[in-house]
Amino acid sequence: MLALRWGLRAASGGFRPRNVLLAMAKRPSGAGEAAEENGQQENKRLKGAAGEEDAGDQSKRTPKRKIVLLMAYSGKGYHGMQRNLGSSQFKTIEDDLVCALVQSGCIPENHGEDMKKMSFQRCARTDKGVSAAGQIVSLKVRLIDDILEKINNHLPSHIRILGLKRVTGGFNSKNKCDARTYAYMLPTFAFAHKDHDVQEEAYRLSKETLEKVNSLLACYKGTHNFHNFTSQKGPKDPSAKRYIMEMYCGEPFVRENIEFAVIKVKGQSFMMHQIRKMIGLVIAIVKGYAPESIIERSWGEEKVDVPKAPGLGLVLERVHFEKYNRRFGNDGLHEPLEWKEEEEKIAVFKEQYIYPTIINTEREEKSMMSWLNTLSIHDFNSSAAEMDANNKNSKNSDLEGSDGCDDDSD
């Protein structure tokens, strides 16, 4: 009996209980083979279905990795960079980006609904109408094949992902950023003296005026109290002090018969309206509306009426990660967050989408000329009480959008 039991176990490939063996013995001849065959077919069917499901879910099993994406976009028609969940009437750059990430299979759909699940962080928030040539976002994604091509296939042509790099697991693109460089492209007739009647297309910036502009812009270098250059800070607020590394205006150039110039500013971080007000005050001085001493006066506790230049022309040019690069850029596991190989693609994108948008919008809407006509109503020697009244009157216009570099409001 024992030998019979072991023999049955060996023949069947495993030990079976006695009641199962008795049931098998009572089956008609061939019933066991048919049942076994049916079982094998059922197993094959289940395996086949599982295989199809596995193929469809292959990207879901791909482990997520922390990366940064190098973005370029034209901001016209968008209500800024940062996504506003539940507010579909104000379309943002991140709305289109998240949609492309989901459609390409980089992130699951529920991560698009809750961006914290993919540890998403933008380096700098650009506001309504503001463009970027070197924006950085950090997030966790599935590193699928041809990832950049697949993401870009689901993005409009005026938003491009130009590069991707792996970063450390705890990387945060905003907190790890040492400095940001913005560019402000403007027509040079903005610097024409108020007493001179100039034609927009005929004006050309003189060497002397350019030197004066740069001498004034250089005054901003260093650490100063910029409470007069934002609507968010008071004179006693320590966070109103900001460090500016460089600020200058480049050589002018002609596009569509209008002469333009680009002002570049590099700083650790910027507050709402800060860059536009820094440039607006310099324009007011060069045009003869305000004395040069007003810059020095604006660092003090006194309220100073500082005009805010138009948002058109402001571009997030580059973000810098020197400290991160020194620590992790050459550790053998990560790459430095530099984009030399993408420089040509950045330049091409600016020529195709950013510069034409600024130039054509300026020609059609004349935003700079319209703003210049408002400088005469500013009182650059107004009292604090008058400033409070002016701020209340302009509150609604300020809510429309910041200058696109509100780095510490996220």
Side-chain angles (χ1 to χ4, degrees), residues 219-237:
C219 295
Y220 289 121
K221 292 171 67 175
T223 301
H224 303 286
N225 189 332
F226 284 97
H227 74 94
N228 274 309
F229 295 80
T230 181
S231 58
Q232 296 182 320
K233 310 288 184 181
K236 300 289 189 179
D237 192 334

Side-chain angles (χ1 to χ4, degrees), residues 191-262:
F191 296 120
H193 196 277
K194 63 182 177 67
D195 295 335
H196 298 163
D197 185 21
V198 299
Q199 299 296 319
E200 297 176 27
E201 295 190 358
Y203 183 81
R204 296 295 180 265
L205 187 67
S206 68
K207 182 179 179 182
E208 293 74 22
T209 303
L210 179 59
E211 289 176 353
K212 182 176 183 180
V213 169
N214 275 321
S215 68
L216 292 170
L217 294 175
C219 295
Y220 289 121
K221 292 171 67 175
T223 301
H224 303 286
N225 189 332
F226 284 97
H227 74 94
N228 274 309
F229 295 80
T230 181
S231 58
Q232 296 182 320
K233 310 288 184 181
K236 300 289 189 179
D237 192 334
S239 65
K241 290 186 177 181
R242 300 294 162 122
Y243 176 54
I244 306 300
M245 300 169 185
E246 61 180 4
M247 191 168 187
Y248 63 92
C249 181
E251 291 293 327
F253 53 91
V254 177
R255 296 287 176 89
E256 302 291 331
N257 297 323
I258 297 179
E259 187 179 69
F260 288 85
V262 175

Side-chain angles (χ1 to χ4, degrees), residues 71-74 78 93 96 152 155-161 349:
M71 293 185 67
Y73 51 84
S74 173
Y78 289 88
I93 298 293
D96 281 353
N152 283 323
L155 285 170
S157 59
H158 56 268
I159 303 177
R160 293 288 92 179
I161 306 299
F349 185 89

